[in-house]
Amino acid sequence: MALNLERQLAFYGAYHRNSINIAIHMVCVPLILFSGFALAANSGTLIPLPRFLTIPHLDLNLSTLAAFTWGGLYVLLEPVAGTILALICLGAAAATNTAHSENPTLTNQVAIVVHVLSWLLQFMGHGVFEGRAPALLDNLIQAIFLAPLFVWLELLFKFGYRRELQSRVGKAVEAEVAKFRKQKLATASKNGKTQ
């Protein structure tokens, strides 16, 4: 996965053009990420640190390491919005680590229900509203890492953030969709089906 923000957003955006599907993703993607952090807290501390180096509620378990990984990627891709999202990820990891330490059974039960329902809603959004398979079927790793940044930037774009980037990405998405439709039509023609 190349660290080219526009290329990454164009890839992901080509799978998310329907406003209802985008709204579903704007709600469900953060829920999937945060419930994933909650489930990852089950790992316990993976890298013990001296007490003076430990940040409260951010011991180095899988949840915290994932938050640092996702956050670091976002900072590299988009320093301003990415830094804010990285801090949100770390805050979510701290909150889920705290919840897990206080009541692991309830935290896991809620996280599993939220995680499964959010995935189901997203697949429904693609099947019913988008009419196109999710991006994760073409590139799982890219989609898993990009989804939170994509919905974060979608939200920021609504408030006028980096309009020039939004415009360039919009044009690149249209080009990607045209390429997809052309390939789909060629495949259908090759198989003797016309649409």
Side-chain angles (χ1 to χ4, degrees):
M1 180 169 68
L3 292 178
N4 179 315
L5 179 65
E6 289 183 38
R7 186 180 318 148
Q8 301 305 327
L9 292 177
F11 162 80
Y12 199 78
Y15 293 83
H16 303 90
R17 297 172 21 100
N18 176 277
S19 60
I20 295 172
N21 190 38
I22 291 171
I24 290 170
H25 279 64
M26 290 182 80
V27 171
C28 292
V29 165
L31 292 175
I32 288 170
L33 183 64
F34 301 157
S35 62
F37 290 159
L39 294 170
N42 284 295
S43 71
T45 302
L46 298 173
I47 304 170
L49 292 175
R51 191 164 176 81
F52 69 93
L53 288 177
T54 303
I55 301 169
H57 308 292
L58 286 175
D59 58 315
L60 293 181
N61 60 19
L62 190 55
S63 175
T64 303
L65 293 172
F68 275 115
T69 301
W70 264 254
L73 176 67
Y74 300 148
V75 170
L76 290 173
L77 283 168
E78 214 297 333
V80 176
T83 298
I84 296 167
L85 185 53
L87 293 172
I88 291 169
C89 287
L90 288 172
T96 58
N97 285 338
T98 301
H100 189 271
S101 68
E102 292 174 2
N103 192 337
T105 302
L106 179 63
T107 300
N108 284 329
Q109 290 171 342
V110 169
I112 289 168
V113 168
V114 167
H115 206 78
V116 170
L117 287 177
S118 295
W119 276 112
L120 290 173
L121 285 169
Q122 285 194 120
F123 279 110
M124 185 186 80
H126 278 281
V128 174
F129 301 107
E130 193 73 47
R132 184 173 184 188
L136 64 88
L137 296 181
D138 286 338
N139 191 327
L140 177 65
I141 302 301
Q142 190 175 16
I144 295 290
F145 277 106
L146 278 181
L149 182 61
F150 179 81
V151 298
W152 176 239
L153 286 172
E154 280 290 320
L155 177 67
L156 294 178
F157 287 159
K158 291 187 184 316
F159 292 101
Y161 182 74
R162 294 196 60 190
R163 290 208 186 276
E164 74 289 345
L165 172 64
Q166 182 183 18
S167 176
R168 288 193 311 268
V169 169
K171 289 175 186 168
V173 165
E174 292 302 322
E176 285 294 316
V177 170
K179 186 169 72 174
F180 168 75
R181 288 183 179 149
K182 185 177 178 182
Q183 288 172 343
K184 188 176 176 182
L185 187 60
T187 301
S189 296
K190 183 179 177 182
N191 293 333
K193 301 174 186 173
T194 57
Q195 295 183 1

